[in-house]
PDB file of all heavy atoms in Angstrom:
ATOM      1  N   MET A 931       6.877  30.105   0.643  1.00 93.00           N
ATOM      2  CA  MET A 931       7.285  28.760   1.019  1.00 93.00           C
ATOM      3  C   MET A 931       6.319  28.157   2.052  1.00 93.00           C
ATOM      4  O   MET A 931       6.024  26.973   2.006  1.00 93.00           O
ATOM      5  CB  MET A 931       8.711  28.808   1.577  1.00 93.00           C
ATOM      6  CG  MET A 931       9.263  27.464   1.918  1.00 93.00           C
ATOM      7  SD  MET A 931       9.425  26.456   0.442  1.00 93.00           S
ATOM      8  CE  MET A 931      10.486  25.214   0.993  1.00 93.00           C
ATOM      9  N   ALA A 932       5.835  28.974   2.975  1.00 91.00           N
ATOM     10  CA  ALA A 932       4.937  28.474   4.013  1.00 91.00           C
ATOM     11  C   ALA A 932       3.632  27.970   3.406  1.00 91.00           C
ATOM     12  O   ALA A 932       3.070  26.975   3.878  1.00 91.00           O
ATOM     13  CB  ALA A 932       4.669  29.556   5.054  1.00 91.00           C
ATOM     14  N   GLY A 933       3.142  28.640   2.364  1.00 93.00           N
ATOM     15  CA  GLY A 933       1.916  28.184   1.693  1.00 93.00           C
ATOM     16  C   GLY A 933       2.108  26.819   1.059  1.00 93.00           C
ATOM     17  O   GLY A 933       1.227  25.954   1.133  1.00 93.00           O
ATOM     18  N   PHE A 934       3.258  26.622   0.427  1.00 96.00           N
ATOM     19  CA  PHE A 934       3.576  25.317  -0.162  1.00 96.00           C
ATOM     20  C   PHE A 934       3.635  24.247   0.923  1.00 96.00           C
ATOM     21  O   PHE A 934       3.110  23.143   0.749  1.00 96.00           O
ATOM     22  CB  PHE A 934       4.915  25.390  -0.914  1.00 96.00           C
ATOM     23  CG  PHE A 934       5.423  24.046  -1.344  1.00 96.00           C
ATOM     24  CD1 PHE A 934       4.886  23.408  -2.452  1.00 96.00           C
ATOM     25  CD2 PHE A 934       6.420  23.407  -0.628  1.00 96.00           C
ATOM     26  CE1 PHE A 934       5.335  22.158  -2.843  1.00 96.00           C
ATOM     27  CE2 PHE A 934       6.878  22.156  -1.007  1.00 96.00           C
ATOM     28  CZ  PHE A 934       6.337  21.535  -2.120  1.00 96.00           C
ATOM     29  N   LEU A 935       4.264  24.571   2.042  1.00 97.00           N
ATOM     30  CA  LEU A 935       4.359  23.602   3.142  1.00 97.00           C
ATOM     31  C   LEU A 935       2.990  23.311   3.743  1.00 97.00           C
ATOM     32  O   LEU A 935       2.710  22.174   4.128  1.00 97.00           O
ATOM     33  CB  LEU A 935       5.331  24.102   4.207  1.00 97.00           C
ATOM     34  CG  LEU A 935       6.807  24.152   3.787  1.00 97.00           C
ATOM     35  CD1 LEU A 935       7.649  24.800   4.877  1.00 97.00           C
ATOM     36  CD2 LEU A 935       7.322  22.768   3.448  1.00 97.00           C
ATOM     37  N   ALA A 936       2.120  24.322   3.814  1.00 97.00           N
ATOM     38  CA  ALA A 936       0.753  24.091   4.301  1.00 97.00           C
ATOM     39  C   ALA A 936       0.039  23.113   3.378  1.00 97.00           C
ATOM     40  O   ALA A 936      -0.656  22.198   3.842  1.00 97.00           O
ATOM     41  CB  ALA A 936      -0.011  25.412   4.382  1.00 97.00           C
ATOM     42  N   ASP A 937       0.220  23.281   2.062  1.00 96.00           N
ATOM     43  CA  ASP A 937      -0.376  22.339   1.109  1.00 96.00           C
ATOM     44  C   ASP A 937       0.209  20.942   1.268  1.00 96.00           C
ATOM     45  O   ASP A 937      -0.500  19.941   1.155  1.00 96.00           O
ATOM     46  CB  ASP A 937      -0.175  22.829  -0.329  1.00 96.00           C
ATOM     47  CG  ASP A 937      -0.991  24.074  -0.649  1.00 96.00           C
ATOM     48  OD1 ASP A 937      -1.955  24.368   0.088  1.00 96.00           O
ATOM     49  OD2 ASP A 937      -0.653  24.756  -1.637  1.00 96.00           O
ATOM     50  N   ALA A 938       1.504  20.868   1.548  1.00 97.00           N
ATOM     51  CA  ALA A 938       2.147  19.566   1.766  1.00 97.00           C
ATOM     52  C   ALA A 938       1.564  18.882   3.006  1.00 97.00           C
ATOM     53  O   ALA A 938       1.377  17.655   3.017  1.00 97.00           O
ATOM     54  CB  ALA A 938       3.657  19.735   1.906  1.00 97.00           C
ATOM     55  N   VAL A 939       1.241  19.651   4.034  1.00 97.00           N
ATOM     56  CA  VAL A 939       0.631  19.080   5.240  1.00 97.00           C
ATOM     57  C   VAL A 939      -0.768  18.551   4.911  1.00 97.00           C
ATOM     58  O   VAL A 939      -1.180  17.510   5.427  1.00 97.00           O
ATOM     59  CB  VAL A 939       0.609  20.102   6.397  1.00 97.00           C
ATOM     60  CG1 VAL A 939      -0.200  19.582   7.573  1.00 97.00           C
ATOM     61  CG2 VAL A 939       2.024  20.441   6.836  1.00 97.00           C
ATOM     62  N   VAL A 940      -1.497  19.244   4.036  1.00 97.00           N
ATOM     63  CA  VAL A 940      -2.814  18.754   3.614  1.00 97.00           C
ATOM     64  C   VAL A 940      -2.659  17.396   2.929  1.00 97.00           C
ATOM     65  O   VAL A 940      -3.405  16.455   3.217  1.00 97.00           O
ATOM     66  CB  VAL A 940      -3.515  19.765   2.674  1.00 97.00           C
ATOM     67  CG1 VAL A 940      -4.770  19.159   2.054  1.00 97.00           C
ATOM     68  CG2 VAL A 940      -3.852  21.041   3.430  1.00 97.00           C
ATOM     69  N   VAL A 941      -1.675  17.280   2.037  1.00 98.00           N
ATOM     70  CA  VAL A 941      -1.427  16.003   1.356  1.00 98.00           C
ATOM     71  C   VAL A 941      -1.048  14.935   2.374  1.00 98.00           C
ATOM     72  O   VAL A 941      -1.543  13.801   2.312  1.00 98.00           O
ATOM     73  CB  VAL A 941      -0.330  16.161   0.279  1.00 98.00           C
ATOM     74  CG1 VAL A 941       0.105  14.815  -0.277  1.00 98.00           C
ATOM     75  CG2 VAL A 941      -0.813  17.080  -0.844  1.00 98.00           C
ATOM     76  N   LEU A 942      -0.204  15.285   3.326  1.00 98.00           N
ATOM     77  CA  LEU A 942       0.177  14.344   4.381  1.00 98.00           C
ATOM     78  C   LEU A 942      -1.050  13.912   5.185  1.00 98.00           C
ATOM     79  O   LEU A 942      -1.209  12.718   5.494  1.00 98.00           O
ATOM     80  CB  LEU A 942       1.219  14.981   5.311  1.00 98.00           C
ATOM     81  CG  LEU A 942       1.628  14.163   6.533  1.00 98.00           C
ATOM     82  CD1 LEU A 942       2.260  12.836   6.128  1.00 98.00           C
ATOM     83  CD2 LEU A 942       2.560  14.978   7.419  1.00 98.00           C
ATOM     84  N   HIS A 943      -1.925  14.847   5.483  1.00 97.00           N
ATOM     85  CA  HIS A 943      -3.131  14.533   6.246  1.00 97.00           C
ATOM     86  C   HIS A 943      -4.024  13.549   5.484  1.00 97.00           C
ATOM     87  O   HIS A 943      -4.542  12.589   6.059  1.00 97.00           O
ATOM     88  CB  HIS A 943      -3.895  15.828   6.540  1.00 97.00           C
ATOM     89  CG  HIS A 943      -4.524  15.871   7.884  1.00 97.00           C
ATOM     90  ND1 HIS A 943      -4.656  17.028   8.593  1.00 97.00           N
ATOM     91  CD2 HIS A 943      -5.080  14.910   8.662  1.00 97.00           C
ATOM     92  CE1 HIS A 943      -5.254  16.786   9.743  1.00 97.00           C
ATOM     93  NE2 HIS A 943      -5.529  15.510   9.801  1.00 97.00           N
ATOM     94  N   PHE A 944      -4.204  13.782   4.177  1.00 97.00           N
ATOM     95  CA  PHE A 944      -4.993  12.846   3.376  1.00 97.00           C
ATOM     96  C   PHE A 944      -4.313  11.472   3.322  1.00 97.00           C
ATOM     97  O   PHE A 944      -4.982  10.441   3.341  1.00 97.00           O
ATOM     98  CB  PHE A 944      -5.220  13.384   1.955  1.00 97.00           C
ATOM     99  CG  PHE A 944      -6.405  14.291   1.831  1.00 97.00           C
ATOM    100  CD1 PHE A 944      -6.241  15.643   1.572  1.00 97.00           C
ATOM    101  CD2 PHE A 944      -7.702  13.802   1.987  1.00 97.00           C
ATOM    102  CE1 PHE A 944      -7.334  16.486   1.465  1.00 97.00           C
ATOM    103  CE2 PHE A 944      -8.804  14.640   1.881  1.00 97.00           C
ATOM    104  CZ  PHE A 944      -8.616  15.982   1.620  1.00 97.00           C
ATOM    105  N   THR A 945      -2.986  11.453   3.284  1.00 98.00           N
ATOM    106  CA  THR A 945      -2.247  10.189   3.283  1.00 98.00           C
ATOM    107  C   THR A 945      -2.461   9.436   4.592  1.00 98.00           C
ATOM    108  O   THR A 945      -2.653   8.213   4.594  1.00 98.00           O
ATOM    109  CB  THR A 945      -0.745  10.449   3.049  1.00 98.00           C
ATOM    110  OG1 THR A 945      -0.590  11.159   1.812  1.00 98.00           O
ATOM    111  CG2 THR A 945       0.051   9.161   2.997  1.00 98.00           C
ATOM    112  N   VAL A 946      -2.451  10.161   5.689  1.00 97.00           N
ATOM    113  CA  VAL A 946      -2.702   9.540   6.997  1.00 97.00           C
ATOM    114  C   VAL A 946      -4.103   8.949   7.034  1.00 97.00           C
ATOM    115  O   VAL A 946      -4.313   7.824   7.515  1.00 97.00           O
ATOM    116  CB  VAL A 946      -2.484  10.562   8.135  1.00 97.00           C
ATOM    117  CG1 VAL A 946      -3.022  10.051   9.453  1.00 97.00           C
ATOM    118  CG2 VAL A 946      -1.009  10.905   8.253  1.00 97.00           C
ATOM    119  N   LEU A 947      -5.079   9.675   6.502  1.00 96.00           N
ATOM    120  CA  LEU A 947      -6.450   9.153   6.472  1.00 96.00           C
ATOM    121  C   LEU A 947      -6.560   7.908   5.583  1.00 96.00           C
ATOM    122  O   LEU A 947      -7.279   6.968   5.912  1.00 96.00           O
ATOM    123  CB  LEU A 947      -7.423  10.231   6.006  1.00 96.00           C
ATOM    124  CG  LEU A 947      -7.664  11.366   6.997  1.00 96.00           C
ATOM    125  CD1 LEU A 947      -8.591  12.415   6.392  1.00 96.00           C
ATOM    126  CD2 LEU A 947      -8.216  10.849   8.309  1.00 96.00           C
ATOM    127  N   ALA A 948      -5.842   7.903   4.465  1.00 97.00           N
ATOM    128  CA  ALA A 948      -5.841   6.722   3.599  1.00 97.00           C
ATOM    129  C   ALA A 948      -5.227   5.534   4.335  1.00 97.00           C
ATOM    130  O   ALA A 948      -5.732   4.401   4.250  1.00 97.00           O
ATOM    131  CB  ALA A 948      -5.076   7.008   2.308  1.00 97.00           C
ATOM    132  N   PHE A 949      -4.153   5.784   5.081  1.00 98.00           N
ATOM    133  CA  PHE A 949      -3.542   4.704   5.866  1.00 98.00           C
ATOM    134  C   PHE A 949      -4.493   4.220   6.952  1.00 98.00           C
ATOM    135  O   PHE A 949      -4.552   3.024   7.243  1.00 98.00           O
ATOM    136  CB  PHE A 949      -2.216   5.168   6.480  1.00 98.00           C
ATOM    137  CG  PHE A 949      -1.565   4.117   7.334  1.00 98.00           C
ATOM    138  CD1 PHE A 949      -1.023   2.980   6.757  1.00 98.00           C
ATOM    139  CD2 PHE A 949      -1.508   4.248   8.703  1.00 98.00           C
ATOM    140  CE1 PHE A 949      -0.437   1.987   7.536  1.00 98.00           C
ATOM    141  CE2 PHE A 949      -0.926   3.274   9.496  1.00 98.00           C
ATOM    142  CZ  PHE A 949      -0.390   2.141   8.912  1.00 98.00           C
ATOM    143  N   LEU A 950      -5.245   5.151   7.537  1.00 96.00           N
ATOM    144  CA  LEU A 950      -6.225   4.763   8.552  1.00 96.00           C
ATOM    145  C   LEU A 950      -7.239   3.787   7.972  1.00 96.00           C
ATOM    146  O   LEU A 950      -7.627   2.821   8.615  1.00 96.00           O
ATOM    147  CB  LEU A 950      -6.931   6.000   9.106  1.00 96.00           C
ATOM    148  CG  LEU A 950      -7.993   5.761  10.162  1.00 96.00           C
ATOM    149  CD1 LEU A 950      -7.404   5.074  11.388  1.00 96.00           C
ATOM    150  CD2 LEU A 950      -8.640   7.075  10.555  1.00 96.00           C
ATOM    151  N   LEU A 951      -7.649   4.011   6.751  1.00 96.00           N
ATOM    152  CA  LEU A 951      -8.623   3.131   6.116  1.00 96.00           C
ATOM    153  C   LEU A 951      -7.987   1.830   5.622  1.00 96.00           C
ATOM    154  O   LEU A 951      -8.564   0.760   5.765  1.00 96.00           O
ATOM    155  CB  LEU A 951      -9.302   3.854   4.946  1.00 96.00           C
ATOM    156  CG  LEU A 951     -10.415   3.083   4.252  1.00 96.00           C
ATOM    157  CD1 LEU A 951     -11.538   2.751   5.230  1.00 96.00           C
ATOM    158  CD2 LEU A 951     -10.952   3.890   3.087  1.00 96.00           C
ATOM    159  N   ALA A 952      -6.782   1.900   5.070  1.00 97.00           N
ATOM    160  CA  ALA A 952      -6.182   0.738   4.410  1.00 97.00           C
ATOM    161  C   ALA A 952      -5.115   0.022   5.225  1.00 97.00           C
ATOM    162  O   ALA A 952      -4.706  -1.083   4.863  1.00 97.00           O
ATOM    163  CB  ALA A 952      -5.570   1.178   3.071  1.00 97.00           C
ATOM    164  N   GLY A 953      -4.678   0.611   6.321  1.00 97.00           N
ATOM    165  CA  GLY A 953      -3.561   0.038   7.078  1.00 97.00           C
ATOM    166  C   GLY A 953      -3.781  -1.380   7.563  1.00 97.00           C
ATOM    167  O   GLY A 953      -2.870  -2.202   7.553  1.00 97.00           O
ATOM    168  N   GLY A 954      -4.998  -1.693   7.986  1.00 96.00           N
ATOM    169  CA  GLY A 954      -5.284  -3.056   8.442  1.00 96.00           C
ATOM    170  C   GLY A 954      -5.132  -4.070   7.321  1.00 96.00           C
ATOM    171  O   GLY A 954      -4.666  -5.191   7.550  1.00 96.00           O
TER     172      GLY A 954
END
Side-chain angles (χ1 to χ4, degrees):
M931 184 64 163
F934 170 78
L935 292 174
D937 291 342
V939 172
V940 171
V941 171
L942 175 61
H943 218 147
F944 274 112
T945 303
V946 167
L947 289 177
F949 178 70
L950 179 60
L951 184 60

